[in-house]
Amino acid sequence: MNLISSLSLTAGALNAQKTRLDVVAQNIANAQTTLGPDGRPYQRRVVSFETELLRVGGTPLQGVRVSGITADPTPGQSVYDPQHPQANREGYVEMPNVHLAYEMVDLMTASRAYEANLSVVKNARQMAMRALEIGR
Amino acid sequence: MSLLGPIGHSPAASLISRLPGANRDDAPLGPVKLPGVTAAPTPAVNEPGGFGSVFEQLVSSVDAKQDEAQALTRDVLLGQNDQLHQSMIAMQEAGVAFQLMVEVRNKVVESYQELMRMPV
């Protein structure tokens, strides 16, 4: 029994946006991390989505899922700080390529997209409940 | 002296007593058998395809939905899963399914009461 068929699709979208929010959180948290597990400064991660083909009760629908989390290869800023343990011979430290402005924009986009999908859930439920009110 | 006399002894009463069904012994106590009309076989309630089994399936799938929602919510509460929305969506779905079941039940009860009110 699948009463609200669009919900499995929306659940995928919510998952994807939540992953994006997690990645933004990771980027912001590591905005000053100069030493990653590979010995290099942190590289900001970017989430990309891909279409997921779903079949909900005979109707082919296109859902969404996270296709991958990739590192942004842009070089980070070099800051002159000779006391820093990761400073090179000239006294420069390579900082992560995280820009807070970009991350904030990503955060807002993810949060608004999440909200949009939540209102789909809300409306789908309301439509089902309205349909059940026919019998009253 | 009675003017009419006892009814049983009047000629009209003897005519009436000769009609079929007028005596207590002739009264049809069981169902009236009409020639050429046979009673429809009464289907068993839980026979597959009957209303009982359909409703049973509905109830069990609503129950399965409630179980699923409960399991997801428990996972979220125990920290095994952080998909809060999936738990909420499952709960909403279970709620809608339950509401559908209640509406079907209300309709069945309503039509039963409608039948019982029918003047015979």
Side-chain angles (χ1 to χ4, degrees), chain A residues 42-108:
Chain A
Y42 176 80
Q43 283 188 315
R44 78 182 274 259
R45 300 292 194 274
V46 186
V47 181
S48 51
F49 300 148
E50 69 183 6
T51 304
E52 184 182 26
L53 291 177
L54 296 174
R55 184 169 285 274
V56 183
T59 322
L61 291 172
Q62 296 195 356
V64 63
R65 68 165 173 232
V66 174
S67 71
I69 301 173
T70 42
D72 182 356
T74 343
Q77 218 181 353
S78 281
V79 176
Y80 182 70
D81 187 0
Q83 274 81 47
H84 198 285
Q86 269 82 49
N88 60 11
R89 225 169 277 156
E90 288 83 36
Y92 283 93
V93 183
E94 205 187 330
M95 296 301 284
N97 56 355
V98 178
H99 292 280
L100 273 185
Y102 291 177
E103 301 308 326
M104 281 302 165
V105 170
D106 264 6
L107 185 68
M108 279 168 73

Side-chain angles (χ1 to χ4, degrees), chain A residues 1-4 7 11 14-15 18 22 114 121 125 128-129 132 135-136, chain B residues 58 61-62 65 82-83 85-86 89 92-93 96-97 99-100 103 107 110:
Chain A
M1 183 169 60
N2 207 334
L3 290 176
I4 317 173
L7 280 196
L14 285 171
N15 253 343
K18 192 180 173 305
D22 289 348
Y114 196 86
V121 174
R125 180 186 171 274
M129 292 310 265
L132 286 176
R136 301 234 171 112
Chain B
L58 175 67
S61 65
V62 168
K65 270 203 187 303
D82 61 345
Q83 308 295 335
H85 51 266
Q86 293 226 313
I89 285 174
Q92 294 294 334
E93 255 190 301
V96 170
Q99 199 64 39
L100 172 71
E103 290 292 335
K107 267 293 175 216
E110 200 182 299

Side-chain angles (χ1 to χ4, degrees), chain B residues 47-108:
Chain B
E47 160 183 316
F51 177 74
S53 72
V54 170
F55 198 68
E56 212 176 290
Q57 275 174 29
L58 175 67
V59 170
S60 55
S61 65
V62 168
D63 190 44
K65 270 203 187 303
Q66 303 263 21
D67 279 353
E68 190 192 326
Q70 209 178 2
L72 276 170
T73 311
R74 194 181 51 230
D75 280 1
V76 170
L77 288 179
L78 291 179
Q80 288 161 1
N81 193 351
D82 61 345
Q83 308 295 335
L84 194 60
H85 51 266
Q86 293 226 313
S87 143
M88 285 307 289
I89 285 174
M91 277 199 268
Q92 294 294 334
E93 255 190 301
V96 170
F98 187 79
Q99 199 64 39
L100 172 71
M101 193 188 73
V102 168
E103 290 292 335
V104 170
R105 174 249 174 224
N106 285 348
K107 267 293 175 216
V108 169

